[in-house]
Amino acid sequence: MAFAQPLLTLLQRIERGLDAIIQPVVFAGMAALIGVITLQIVSRVLFSAVGWTEEVARFLLVWITFLASTLAFQRGRHIAVTFAVDALPLPLRKLARLAALAVVLAFMVALIVIGYRYMQVQSFQKSASLRLSMTYVYAVMPISAAIMAWYALVDMIDVLVNGEPTVSAPEEPL
């Protein structure tokens, strides 16, 4: 499988590129969310409330949640109980990890399809304050699922090539 290592390296480089894009987007979304909620509180206390702040805060929270979940997935930070798999001999552990990743990949593909359909169904609906098409709000579901499916696929290839997923060095928190 010597031919697979350069492919895996390329896929992992793309994975890091996606991470390098998503991380600042989530950070900017959090900063915007803090700013919008601060504006909402200050405007309610000092004068009349700004009407669109609640809607923007809700939409930002949805997008941040989905995009940050892709970062957590890529870093292996979602809840997992691995003691049974870790106790298995290497060939069975590899098979168990591949099976788990295949289930994740199938779920993400289903979420892409369902999210896209839901996005299409809601395309006629506009948000109350901003009159923004709800398609943009719901688009994060298939986008995030596609990114996580990519990460699962890269992890599957990593397990096939190396036997165990490559563990990257712990990163600094945001």
Side-chain angles (χ1 to χ4, degrees):
M1 286 219 186
F3 70 92
Q5 195 60 46
L7 173 66
L8 180 61
T9 304
L10 173 66
L11 295 176
Q12 288 172 335
R13 189 174 297 139
I14 294 169
E15 189 176 72
R16 285 190 300 275
L18 278 171
D19 184 53
I21 293 168
I22 295 169
Q23 191 171 343
V25 168
V26 170
F27 182 80
M30 286 296 293
L33 181 63
I34 291 167
V36 167
I37 290 174
T38 302
L39 174 64
Q40 185 178 35
I41 292 168
V42 168
S43 69
R44 285 180 190 234
V45 170
L46 298 180
F47 39 91
S48 65
V50 179
W52 53 266
T53 55
E54 182 181 344
E55 195 170 274
V56 169
R58 188 177 329 117
F59 296 162
L60 281 171
L61 186 60
V62 169
W63 271 79
I64 290 167
T65 301
F66 274 91
L67 290 177
S69 71
T70 66
L71 295 174
F73 182 81
Q74 190 259 349
R75 291 176 172 92
R77 300 282 173 94
H78 283 286
I79 296 172
V81 181
T82 61
F83 70 90
V85 173
D86 292 341
L88 294 172
L90 184 60
L92 290 176
R93 185 170 51 227
K94 182 177 176 180
L95 188 62
R97 292 195 195 282
L98 284 172
L101 286 167
V103 169
V104 168
L105 186 59
F107 179 75
M108 291 303 153
V109 169
L111 192 57
I112 292 167
V113 172
I114 291 168
Y116 181 75
R117 287 181 186 160
Y118 194 70
M119 199 174 79
Q120 298 298 53
V121 167
Q122 297 299 325
S123 64
F124 68 90
Q125 186 181 3
K126 303 276 188 213
S127 65
S129 296
L130 299 173
R131 307 303 303 156
L132 179 70
S133 173
M134 293 304 285
T135 300
Y136 301 118
V137 177
Y138 293 119
V140 73
M141 188 169 29
I143 290 170
S144 295
I147 293 168
M148 283 190 266
W150 173 264
Y151 290 158
L153 185 62
V154 172
D155 287 348
M156 284 179 83
I157 295 169
D158 194 8
V159 169
L160 287 170
V161 170
N162 297 322
E164 290 284 329
T166 307
V167 179
S168 55
E171 296 186 20
E172 294 294 319
L174 294 176

